[in-house]
Amino acid sequence: GHTAAQIKLAYLYAYGRGTKANPEMAYALITAASAAGDKRGDELLPTLEQKLTSQQIAAARAQAEKIQAPRVPVASVTALAQ
């Protein structure tokens, strides 16, 4: 996914702006963006961790793995271009 959009959406979920607050989804979105290399939302993670149980954090991390776009090996992309 688009990491900047994930982070913006995470802040909306974190603070309940335009939607019901959902700190678990916010955590998942920021974790997914962070795993993709975009660390801009990482400062919000400790605040979210204070609101979540360890089970919710584990569920959010599992969700983050599903959110991340599958990575295509460079060799596969090169083969497609030929």
Side-chain angles (χ1 to χ4, degrees):
H2 192 274
T3 58
Q6 288 172 341
I7 293 167
K8 288 178 183 181
L9 185 57
Y11 273 87
L12 295 175
Y13 277 122
Y15 296 108
R17 302 283 175 142
T19 187
K20 182 179 176 188
N22 186 338
E24 189 174 325
M25 180 55 77
Y27 192 96
L29 289 164
I30 290 175
T31 301
S34 185
D38 192 333
K39 308 293 184 192
R40 292 177 289 174
D42 285 2
E43 75 278 354
L44 185 58
L45 291 175
T47 301
L48 294 170
E49 287 170 351
Q50 292 176 359
K51 297 178 180 183
L52 299 170
T53 66
S54 58
Q55 291 174 331
Q56 289 173 310
I57 291 171
R61 288 180 178 154
Q63 183 65 27
E65 290 181 21
K66 294 177 184 176
I67 292 171
Q68 291 177 356
R71 295 199 160 96
V72 178
V74 173
S76 297
V77 174
T78 304
L80 290 173
Q82 294 176 351

